[in-house]
Amino acid sequence: MSEKIVLDENSKNTLLDSIRTINDYPKPGIIFKDITTLLNNKNAFNLLMDHLEERYKSYNLDYIAGVEARGFFFASALASRLKIGFVPVRKKGKLPSTTICEKYELEYAFSEVELHLDAFNNEKNVNVLLIDDIIVSGGTAYAAANLIKKLNVNLVESCFLMNIAILDGAKKLSEISPVYCVLEI
């Protein structure tokens, strides 16, 4: 890996301006960051994807794992640009073949994510990047990172469009994976 490439402030502002904020969604007191307005903004989306391609082209990646569902957008687009494989990290019960799963805690319940046992074609020591749109508490990302590591591959970094720093999810995840967040909220 060469030097770690980060986005300049003007570009960060362009991305932030393309993300719609919706107050009190999905419940009162929540400020929701809607990335659909970034996805349908060709300039903002291409700015983000150009940045991620530039950052990760020297990481010698073999696969990009994207977390369901919004992580799929960025992970699959970047995998296509880098000409490498895309691996979906899905909610429990969504994958048709043999899987491994990891449980994580939500506010008042638990959930699970899973990977196919052969997600990385049974290769060992390949380089994998994990991508999702937002990290807040870090539960889903931490579970996804643990799954990837259980398959004996190298999780080189976990990448997020936004870190909502109120709950220290990125800090928790950094205990098991390097973390890069394009935007800090």
Side-chain angles (χ1 to χ4, degrees), residues 63 85-88 95 98 115-123 151:
Y63 297 93
F86 164 71
V87 172
L95 293 172
T98 306
L115 272 174
H116 276 136
L117 206 50
D118 62 355
F120 304 109
N121 295 313
N122 297 314
E123 299 174 64
L151 292 177

Side-chain angles (χ1 to χ4, degrees), residues 122-145:
N122 297 314
E123 299 174 64
K124 305 297 181 211
N125 298 315
V126 293
N127 294 323
V128 178
L129 173 67
L130 175 65
I131 292 185
D132 203 358
D133 65 332
I134 296 173
I135 186 166
V136 184
S137 68
T140 307
Y142 199 88

Side-chain angles (χ1 to χ4, degrees), residues 3 15-16 68 84 92 131:
E3 72 179 70
L15 293 179
L16 282 170
E68 184 170 353
I84 60 176
K92 186 165 177 61
I131 292 185

Side-chain angles (χ1 to χ4, degrees), residues 6-33:
V6 296
L7 207 55
D8 64 72
E9 289 304 312
N10 286 338
S11 296
K12 286 180 183 181
N13 288 333
T14 297
L15 293 179
L16 282 170
D17 290 345
S18 75
I19 298 167
R20 177 173 35 205
T21 298
I22 301 173
N23 293 319
D24 299 319
Y25 181 84
K27 60 184 184 180
I30 302 291
I31 300 171
F32 186 80
K33 296 297 186 179

Side-chain angles (χ1 to χ4, degrees), residues 1-2 28 73-74 122 124 129-130 157 166 169 171 175:
M1 285 181 271
S2 59
F73 303 132
F74 306 113
N122 297 314
K124 305 297 181 211
L129 173 67
L130 175 65
E157 193 161 80
I166 192 168
K171 183 178 177 184
E175 295 169 4

Side-chain angles (χ1 to χ4, degrees), residues 53-104:
E53 181 180 15
E54 184 64 26
R55 179 177 175 85
Y56 291 112
K57 70 182 180 185
S58 66
Y59 275 54
N60 195 29
L61 296 171
D62 299 293
Y63 297 93
I64 298 177
V67 179
E68 184 170 353
R70 293 180 300 267
F72 290 0
F73 303 132
F74 306 113
S76 60
L78 184 57
S80 178
R81 282 180 173 225
L82 296 176
K83 298 178 179 23
I84 60 176
F86 164 71
V87 172
V89 179
R90 305 279 329 252
K91 295 174 184 168
K92 186 165 177 61
K94 301 279 185 146
L95 293 172
S97 191
T98 306
T99 63
I100 59 170
C101 62
E102 183 86 14
K103 188 181 281 191
Y104 63 96

